[in-house]
Amino acid sequence: MTPEQLSETIRAALLAGIDDSDFQLSPFDVPEVKVERPRQREHGDWATNVAMQLAKKAGTNPREFATTLVERLAEIDGIESAEVAGPGFINIRLAAGAAGELARTIVRANGAYGRGDSLKDQVVNVEFVSANPTGPIHLGGTRWAAVGDSLARLMEFHDARVIREYYFNDHGSQIDNFAKSLYAVVAGEDAPENGYGGQYIQDIANEVMVEAMEAGDRDPLERPRDEAIEFFRERGVRLMFNEIKDSLKDFGVEFDVYFHEESLHSSGKVERALDELKASGALYESEGAWWLKSTDHGDEKDRVVIKSDGNAAYIAGDIAYIRDKHERGADLCVYLLGADHHGYIARLKAAAAALGYDPASVEVIIGQMVNLVKDGQPVRMSKRAGTVVTMEDLVDAVGVDAARYALSRSSTDQSIDIDLDLLASATNANPVFYVQYAHARSAGVARNAAEYGIAREDGFDAALLTHESEAALLGALGDFPRVIAQAVEFREQHRVARYLEELASAFNQWYDRTRVTPLGDEEVTDLHRTRLWLNDATGMVLRTGLHLLGVSAPERM
């Protein structure tokens, strides 16, 4: 019996009680019944607080309501016992056969176990990383690459149509400074103020020069200075852009849309959006500038949209971009931004409201800093970038799987320290190794079973799964859909990683205390076959969970 099936069973018992006048309620009063794992395993397999939810409406107290419901539940096949606890909780213990049936359900689902439909028919635009094309992706962007892709996978697992989008900030002074930095390194000049340094600048500049030579173009240094800088801008941004794309692809992240900020301005979309807001009265003029009435929509202050010098402020592009996303069909726009962007939450929602969209259609997730530690000391600089640690530095040190898992394992609102020595180790103290090894172990058990001629299809008897470690493992497997649903609802991919570690622990304890293959001359029985179902079900859930984090599930380690 899956948690969903148990929820429906409890709801059916409530409706039957209403029909028999045990509960003074309308059928419309009965909600979807939620069941959760008790904090203490000895209290049972599942618990629900539905009696506490409905007692007042039924004109009774929670314990009396729960007692009546427990009497009905105790008569249902598959429920071994039900008892009232505390102020009105109901603890439920499933019969071994009902609990064990979950193993077959998971295997037959063939990777679909845990799927949901909470985002059915929704188009979700998830914008993440979005680094300026002026240098390699730093650790903050790397964290967003891991987290953003995991959230996208989770939303797709709950039936959303997800658009992964990368917003290239290729408009403004940072690009000017990037082009000037490329020119300066070739011309033998000092880097400009607010320019960029590091070996990668030399590398990109050299590539521009090689391209020019191979194409038979005029030597950039023989051109007028402004023309030469523009030459480096056009080619340097493209080369840096391609390098960023390649890095992300190697990291297992590919985007559906690469959106250029410059296109908002060159296409006139910024001007049209602002004209619309002026006409609607959402913008007003003061002190020679145009302001968005963002305080009307919960922002702490109104925002300058067109500065007194006539130039558009950065938020002007944000306004046009929100409109563009919605016009492309997005129902929900999710932004993953760095720790210095807290002010963007209110202003982006205000911009959406000013354009006539529901502010709830914009979500902003703020991520905190990532620090690397090696040999007990912080790692602060990249050999190539010079000033920051990059995605390539992290991947070179620990590999893609360890990097993605470590960056997805913590809540985004927490700063994290990544111990490179730990992540590179093949020990159980390394979380990604621990989970991947559990999956490899389950694959090894399946191979050994095949050598003994043990096949799942030859027999299954859920009632045989009576060992306490099997009850614990089945309970952990049953929790997977709930964990996924909460990860999707709260946009918290780290719940999946922490769950996988708990599942791996339950599996390892089961592996140590039971056997799928016979000992010595022992005959193969349905117990062995049924345990193979449980082994394979665990492997499937581990594999699904790792996939949702963008991490591989090796079959041998």
Side-chain angles (χ1 to χ4, degrees), residues 130-145:
S130 296
N132 294 335
T134 56
I137 299 172
H138 57 66
L139 275 186
T142 307
R143 184 179 195 179
W144 279 141

Side-chain angles (χ1 to χ4, degrees), residues 70-89:
V70 158
E71 291 173 357
R72 287 185 169 273
L73 295 177
E75 297 175 356
I76 295 174
D77 288 342
I79 294 180
E80 182 179 292
S81 65
E83 58 183 28
V84 183
F89 290 102

Side-chain angles (χ1 to χ4, degrees), residues 1 26-27 43 58 91 108 148 171 173 212 242 247 254 317-318 334 340 399 452 464 481 484 492 546:
M1 185 182 296
S26 161
H43 289 171
N91 290 332
R108 287 179 170 173
H171 178 86
S173 60
N242 289 339
S247 295
E254 296 196 52
D318 291 333
V334 180
D340 56 343
Y452 278 87
L464 296 175
I484 296 300
E492 292 182 342
L546 285 168

Side-chain angles (χ1 to χ4, degrees), residues 334-388:
V334 180
Y335 294 77
L336 278 65
L337 303 178
D340 56 343
H341 287 73
H342 271 285
Y344 275 70
I345 299 174
R347 78 181 66 170
L348 289 176
K349 286 181 172 290
L355 289 165
Y357 302 115
D358 184 350
S361 69
V362 169
E363 291 184 13
V364 180
I365 302 173
I366 301 295
Q368 297 302 316
M369 300 296 292
V370 181
N371 304 301
L372 293 190
V373 177
K374 182 171 178 58
D375 299 326
Q377 299 297 319
V379 179
R380 301 191 185 282
M381 294 180 65
S382 166
K383 292 179 180 178
R384 181 162 183 257
T387 55
V388 294

Side-chain angles (χ1 to χ4, degrees), residues 34 75 86 118 122 140 191 263 297 331 379 385 398-399 407 413 415 417 421 441 450 454 460 496 521 526 547 553:
K34 294 185 178 181
E75 297 175 356
S118 67
Q122 288 198 47
S263 70
H297 305 289
D331 300 305
V379 179
V398 301
L407 292 167
D413 61 9
S415 296
D417 293 327
D421 298 314
R441 173 172 275 178
I454 302 172
F460 178 81
V496 179
D521 295 331
D526 279 350
H547 171 74

Side-chain angles (χ1 to χ4, degrees), residues 89-369:
F89 290 102
I90 298 175
N91 290 332
I92 298 169
R93 192 178 303 278
L94 299 179
E101 188 62 37
L102 178 63
R104 185 156 58 178
T105 297
I106 292 171
V107 172
R108 287 179 170 173
N110 194 28
Y113 176 67
R115 281 190 177 275
D117 59 3
S118 67
L119 298 176
K120 184 176 176 61
D121 298 327
Q122 288 198 47
V123 178
V124 183
N125 181 296
V126 184
E127 182 209 321
F128 58 108
V129 184
S130 296
N132 294 335
T134 56
I137 299 172
H138 57 66
L139 275 186
T142 307
R143 184 179 195 179
W144 279 141
V147 170
D149 189 55
S150 294
L151 289 176
R153 289 167 184 248
L154 283 162
M155 291 177 177
E156 287 170 336
F157 205 57
H158 259 237
D159 220 11
R161 183 166 77 82
V162 176
I163 299 169
R164 293 165 173 82
E165 185 147 322
Y166 190 119
Y167 183 67
F168 267 99
N169 304 94
D170 55 353
H171 178 86
S173 60
Q174 76 275 6
I175 297 298
D176 295 336
N177 292 331
F178 176 66
K180 291 174 183 177
S181 299
L182 295 174
Y183 174 81
V185 75
V186 173
E189 299 178 357
D190 292 335
E193 185 178 359
N194 298 319
Y196 298 88
Q199 181 61 41
Y200 80 94
I201 289 291
Q202 180 73 66
D203 295 341
I204 295 291
N206 289 343
E207 285 187 63
V208 171
M209 295 296 288
V210 169
E211 274 195 3
M213 181 179 64
E214 291 178 346
D217 287 333
R218 179 182 172 192
D219 186 336
L221 296 182
E222 295 177 358
R223 302 167 184 257
R225 182 184 179 86
D226 288 348
E227 183 182 327
I229 290 174
E230 184 59 34
F231 187 92
F232 277 100
R233 179 205 307 274
E234 178 186 343
R235 290 156 180 79
V237 169
R238 172 175 51 79
L239 290 169
M240 192 73 253
F241 190 176
N242 289 339
E243 185 173 312
I244 289 171
K245 283 184 177 180
D246 289 342
S247 295
L248 288 165
K249 185 175 182 179
D250 291 343
F251 199 61
V253 178
E254 296 196 52
F255 288 86
D256 302 297
V257 175
Y258 289 95
F259 192 95
H260 291 260
E261 179 187 6
E262 176 63 33
S263 70
L264 290 171
H265 297 268
S266 61
S267 66
K269 290 181 179 179
V270 171
E271 185 178 358
R272 286 197 297 273
L274 299 188
D275 285 346
E276 178 185 314
L277 292 181
K278 287 178 183 179
S280 69
L283 294 184
Y284 65 92
E285 191 174 12
S286 176
E287 301 175 354
W290 284 89
W291 301 69
L292 175 67
K293 294 180 181 179
S294 48
T295 51
D296 288 354
H297 305 289
D299 199 0
E300 62 183 1
K301 62 182 181 181
D302 289 345
R303 305 287 176 177
V304 175
V305 177
I306 304 175
K307 295 180 284 188
S308 57
D309 63 6
N311 291 318
Y314 196 81
I315 192 175
D318 291 333
I319 293 170
Y321 191 34
I322 288 172
R323 180 176 177 176
D324 186 81
K325 286 183 177 182
H326 280 90
E327 288 180 341
R328 284 186 277 132
D331 300 305
L332 175 64
C333 303
V334 180
Y335 294 77
L336 278 65
L337 303 178
D340 56 343
H341 287 73
H342 271 285
Y344 275 70
I345 299 174
R347 78 181 66 170
L348 289 176
K349 286 181 172 290
L355 289 165
Y357 302 115
D358 184 350
S361 69
V362 169
E363 291 184 13
V364 180
I365 302 173
I366 301 295
Q368 297 302 316
M369 300 296 292

Side-chain angles (χ1 to χ4, degrees), residues 519-536:
L519 281 172
D521 295 331
E522 182 183 0
E523 291 186 4
V524 173
T525 67
D526 279 350
L527 176 58
H528 299 108
R529 301 183 184 97
T530 303
R531 282 177 172 165
L532 180 58
W533 282 89
L534 180 54
N535 173 81
D536 292 355

